[in-house]
Amino acid sequence: MFETTKALVLREVKYKEADRILTLFTADNGKITAKARGALRRNSRTAAATQQLSWSDMTLFFNKGKWTVNEASVIEAFDGLKGDIAAFALGSYFAECVEALSVEDQKEPELLSLALNSLWALSRGLHDPRKIKAAFELRLMSLSGYLPSVDRCAVCGAERPDEPVFDLLDGRLFCRRCCTRGSAVSLDDRSLEAMRYILSAPPKQIFSFALAGDALVTLGFAAENYLLAQTERSFGTLEYYKQFKTD
Ligand SMILES: [Zn+2]
């Protein structure tokens, strides 16, 4: 059975002489594993389209429970990532997160849009990468069933806590004096405002907030550690990205 779909290459692993085993996030079937035979052979027609972080049109063949890439052509190569090692590392982290939080064989259009919009913004240098990363992480958590609850203090109901803190284990907001938990991290007015913006903005506007300096670092710390606390795992690509990060 042949099927055509658009697919984002989340991961590629060399297999045998010239094949690739791909983890694809497809528009029609969600996350699948597919083999691209001969993709590493010289003059291969599928080489570019089966590279990690390529967004491609693919014709796939499904037989006995296994997918094979029959034809593939690049729609968007995200070239801006390929010439910038830090940006590529961050894009690879986005891909690893999507792989970790998506469900095999399940169509997830919002998650796919989030991944593509984030890679696009990163590739084009449209925003500070730290803003893109925090927005990606928070929206990913929200789409994956871990929506933080940051409208008001979970104890006293204050909408603007004097010293806001965010609990990484249950995703709730507290005033510092209301919070008895060791798993909470500090926010400030501006990072809390940005977090609320990111969680409520239309999908294509999630990066359109103004934040810099310490408040951006605070937001980044909370977003990353919330994702790590909820997923209860580490990400090799995140460790790799941090080698290039300058802040
Ligand atoms: Zn309170």
Side-chain angles (χ1 to χ4, degrees), residues 153-158 174-175 177-178:
C153 169
V155 173
C156 75
F174 296 90
C175 314
R177 65 173 177 275
C178 292

Side-chain angles (χ1 to χ4, degrees), residues 8-19:
L8 177 65
V9 181
L10 297 176
R11 194 151 56 97
E12 46 156 292
V13 178
K14 186 174 184 243
Y15 179 70
K16 292 187 179 165
E17 272 299 284
D19 299 350

Side-chain angles (χ1 to χ4, degrees), residues 134-135 138-139 142 147-154 156-166 171-175 187-202 205-211 219 222-223:
L138 289 170
R139 290 291 283 223
S142 153
L147 175 65
S149 171
V150 293
D151 289 344
R152 51 185 43 110
C153 169
C156 75
E159 286 181 24
R160 304 206 167 274
D162 287 338
E163 286 183 73
V165 298
F166 178 64
R172 291 192 298 170
L173 180 73
F174 296 90
C175 314
L187 293 178
D188 53 50
D189 291 351
R190 287 177 303 152
S191 53
L192 173 57
E193 212 48 56
M195 194 183 265
R196 287 171 171 167
Y197 174 82
I198 290 165
L199 293 168
S200 61
Q205 290 167 30
I206 58 171
F207 312 119
S208 302
F209 57 96
L211 197 68
L219 174 72

